[in-house]
Amino acid sequence: MASDPVTALADEPVDHRFKGLPPDAQAAGLTVGQLAQQRRGIHTGGFTTPVLTLDAAALEHNLAALGTYAARHDLAFAPHGKTCMSPQLFLRQLEHGAWGITAAVPHQARVYRAFGIQRIFLANELVDAAALRWVAGELASDPDFHFVCYVDSVRGVHLMDRALRDAPARIDVVVELGAGEGARTGARSDEDCRAVADAVADTPTLRLVGIAGYEAEVPDADPERVAAYLRRLTALAVEFDKAGRFSPDLEEIVVSAGGSAWFDAVADVFAELPELSRPLLKLLRSGAYVSHDHGWYTRLTPFNRHPEEGGLRPAFRLWTQVVSRPSPTQAFVNAGKRDIAYDLGLPEAELVRDALTGEERPAGGVRVVKLSDQHAWLETDSADDVQVGDWVALGMSHPCTIFEKWPLIPVVEADGTVTDYVRTFF
């Protein structure tokens, strides 16, 4: 049996929890690891449709691309784990140089800790008393564990302090600067940020360690508006340091931002930061890069603006099957809202695999026009575009909502051989 929790995932039985896996593998009592060792073909190895796959080469390319980008720009990297919620991918991100993993809610942090993550940046306010006491307990029991979370209100600071009065450890916090009126969380003005910082200084339970924010929430975001917001954020960091607002026992000051749409602006503005009284941890938090996608982030990635810096590849492919062809212009495949991410647009038909010959061809003339719970509605240009039984590969947008629908995802080589399985915990 495996001695660490990530490796132990291979010992899970292949069973009804996991969509698309070969029924005969469950009948034979195989574990996930044993099934991976068989190196079955995704089309010929007994997998049932619909089945989501991750391209092995694209996955490795993307992991390397952001790791290299962050290192080149002198950024620490804490990729947002909410995207994939996969301990195996967290481990690979750390192997590619990540400082730690970002979370959004306490449940995610608990998953991370169950799989040994030692540095967690919770990019959200945390005022839940039970969760705060759990964090403090983790910090007290493991001196190598490092945790940071947002604060954006004086009331929030008071609630945190109240919850932690009898806790065994202090919690590190960063003031979140809001991206503007109508944006998401974060203190709206510089004066509000100062008030929050002063409130933290008055508590024995919290340490102010930095400033953070999320530039993608800037209203009507464009390069100039995003850069202006980021410069407000870095100016506050400089001001707070000069004013002595950061905790005096810090080894480093945290300045953090960065999603998957504007990490180039973060790199540029953070590079302008002067030396402060202590070393700077300039922390980037992009998450969607790990799988990229076929639409939304393909259009938004900063690599479009800076192709010389690298690029990302869509890694997901959802294989579905035509189950009904009621007319020459209409067909239905057996995947719908339960299987397909649709919050950022309908999927795109990419490939058709002939049910009789196994030959693959581009899905020209095939469009997804609607989703039901368990069906995608296809519109076709001609009767020959697809036939009942054909497999249709769909590309989708928004990695976060793709990953969350699939608890176990086959990783495939270029020839369709399944070499691994990625486990998710949503």
Side-chain angles (χ1 to χ4, degrees):
M1 298 291 289
S3 59
D4 73 87
V6 176
T7 305
L9 292 172
D11 297 328
E12 288 194 283
V14 174
D15 61 24
H16 59 276
R17 294 171 296 164
F18 306 131
K19 299 188 286 186
L21 298 194
D24 68 284
Q26 179 177 351
L30 297 183
T31 65
V32 172
Q34 289 168 337
L35 182 59
Q37 289 174 2
Q38 292 185 353
R39 297 177 60 88
R40 298 193 187 194
I42 194 69
H43 301 293
T44 59
F47 292 86
T48 63
T49 55
V51 60
L52 182 69
T53 64
L54 275 166
D55 181 277
L59 195 60
E60 177 59 28
H61 171 87
N62 295 344
L63 288 163
L66 255 290
T68 299
Y69 183 90
R72 183 185 301 132
H73 291 275
D74 192 29
L75 298 169
F77 189 29
H80 211 316
K82 72 175 175 63
T83 297
C84 64
M85 287 303 295
S86 170
Q88 293 145 295
L89 295 182
F90 298 162
L91 182 60
R92 292 182 66 179
Q93 288 170 322
L94 293 170
E95 289 170 347
H96 280 277
W99 169 90
I101 306 295
T102 296
V105 293
H107 161 72
Q108 293 166 1
R110 290 178 63 193
V111 171
Y112 299 2
R113 289 298 288 158
F115 288 93
I117 301 302
Q118 289 294 83
R119 289 172 173 168
I120 298 174
F121 186 97
L122 195 140
N124 204 349
E125 283 66 30
L126 179 58
V127 295
D128 183 287
L132 285 162
R133 288 192 290 267
W134 171 79
V135 171
E138 290 290 299
L139 290 166
S141 64
D142 183 355
D144 294 324
F145 176 42
H146 188 179
F147 178 90
V148 181
C149 70
Y150 283 178
V151 288
D152 75 350
S153 68
V154 172
R155 178 178 171 85
V157 170
H158 291 163
L159 288 170
M160 295 178 78
D161 181 52
R162 179 180 179 181
L164 294 167
R165 277 300 170 94
D166 298 321
R170 290 192 297 169
I171 289 181
D172 289 347
V173 297
V174 292
V175 173
E176 183 193 8
L177 173 65
E181 292 301 323
R184 206 163 60 188
T185 55
R188 289 298 190 255
S189 70
D190 293 4
E191 191 55 43
D192 289 340
C193 289
R194 297 182 190 105
V196 173
D198 291 343
V200 171
D202 288 338
T203 72
T205 57
L206 305 175
R207 290 199 316 167
L208 184 63
V209 302
I211 303 284
Y214 181 47
E215 72 292 337
E217 281 291 306
V218 169
D220 302 316
D222 61 21
E224 292 73 25
R225 291 185 177 92
V226 168
Y229 164 72
L230 290 168
R231 289 192 176 99
R232 275 188 65 204
L233 189 151
T234 55
L236 274 173
V238 174
E239 175 196 315
F240 278 23
D241 185 47
K242 288 181 179 178
R245 282 195 163 97
F246 295 127
S247 182
D249 57 347
L250 296 186
E251 294 182 0
E252 59 188 6
I253 295 169
V254 179
V255 181
S256 180
S260 294
W262 295 102
F263 56 74
D264 56 336
V266 173
D268 290 344
V269 173
F270 281 15
E272 300 170 358
L273 272 160
E275 284 191 16
L276 301 185
S277 64
R278 279 149 288 184
L280 269 169
L281 181 72
K282 297 183 285 188
L283 197 60
L284 182 70
R285 306 192 308 269
S286 311
Y289 81 99
V290 66
S291 65
H292 203 43
D293 69 14
H294 283 89
W296 186 261
Y297 284 107
T298 293
R299 294 188 292 271
L300 290 184
T301 178
F303 286 127
N304 292 339
R305 295 187 287 273
H306 306 282
E308 74 285 356
E309 291 263 29
L312 300 171
R313 301 176 188 170
F316 277 127
R317 184 166 281 162
L318 180 65
W319 285 101
T320 66
Q321 197 165 24
V322 178
V323 293
S324 179
R325 187 73 158 112
S327 79
T329 60
Q330 192 176 39
F332 293 87
V333 294
N334 60 346
K337 294 177 181 178
R338 303 296 177 89
D339 314 294
I340 296 170
Y342 57 92
D343 56 316
L344 292 179
L346 291 172
E348 300 174 2
E350 287 195 296
L351 296 173
V352 175
R353 181 182 174 87
D354 190 282
L356 299 178
T357 68
E359 294 181 357
E360 293 182 7
R361 62 183 185 274
V366 181
R367 295 168 295 280
V368 179
V369 295
K370 182 179 176 181
L371 298 177
S372 299
D373 278 356
Q374 306 290 177
H375 294 91
W377 299 50
L378 305 186
E379 179 183 80
T380 59
D381 288 345
S382 76
D384 298 326
D385 289 334
V386 294
Q387 302 295 333
V388 169
D390 289 349
W391 288 42
V392 178
L394 302 180
M396 296 173 286
S397 286
H398 201 186
C400 297
T401 50
I402 300 172
F403 273 108
E404 73 176 4
K405 297 178 182 296
W406 292 85
L408 193 68
I409 307 169
V411 179
V412 300
E413 301 291 339
D415 64 356
T417 300
V418 178
T419 58
D420 199 2
Y421 294 85
V422 164
R423 184 75 159 91
T424 66
F425 292 85
F426 284 93

